[in-house]
Structure formats: C-alpha cells, structure tokens
Amino acid sequence: MLNLISILLGVVTLVLALVAFVPLLGWMNWLVIPIAVVGAAVGALSSSGTGGRNLNLVLIVVCAIRLSLGGGIF
C-alpha cells in the first residue's frame, strides 16, 4: 500500500516537474523536490516493492540538476 502511495506522489511530482521545465518556472523545483523527498521516504517504508522509491529518487536528481542549471531561480 505504501508503494502505491509513493508511486502516486511520484506521478504528481512528475507532472509538476514537467511544468517546472518551462523557462522562467524553474523556481517550482523548490516545491517539487520536497514532494519527491516525501514520496521517496514513503517508498522506503514500503516492504512490497521499490518502484515508487526509485521513481522519486530519479525525480529528485533530475529536478536538482535542472535547479542547479538555472542558478536556483530560473
């Protein structure tokens, strides 16, 4: 059950991350990364699978790279 919640949080994070890839909306990554961290934590608590945790970890890395490329704002 926790893995399913983690996957749902990952999907929401993915949608928000796609919006944050639009130029001048990079500041949204400051909101997206904490949601992905919560999803990864929920996925780590799951004993049924690792798909949700892995999805959120990939999103954290991608959003952090995008945030660093934009200088933290763009």
Side-chain angles (χ1 to χ4, degrees), residues 19-64:
V19 173
F21 270 93
V22 174
L24 300 177
L25 291 180
W27 57 268
M28 283 185 62
N29 286 312
W30 288 108
L31 301 173
V32 171
I33 292 174
I35 297 171
V37 168
V38 170
V42 171
L45 294 174
S46 172
S47 61
S48 62
T50 60
R53 183 197 66 202
N54 293 343
L55 171 64
N56 285 298
L57 290 176
V58 168
L59 287 170
I60 290 169
V61 169
V62 169
C63 289

Side-chain angles (χ1 to χ4, degrees), residues 59-74:
L59 287 170
I60 290 169
V61 169
V62 169
C63 289
I65 291 171
R66 167 63 173 97
L67 191 61
S68 67
L69 288 175
I73 298 173
F74 302 109

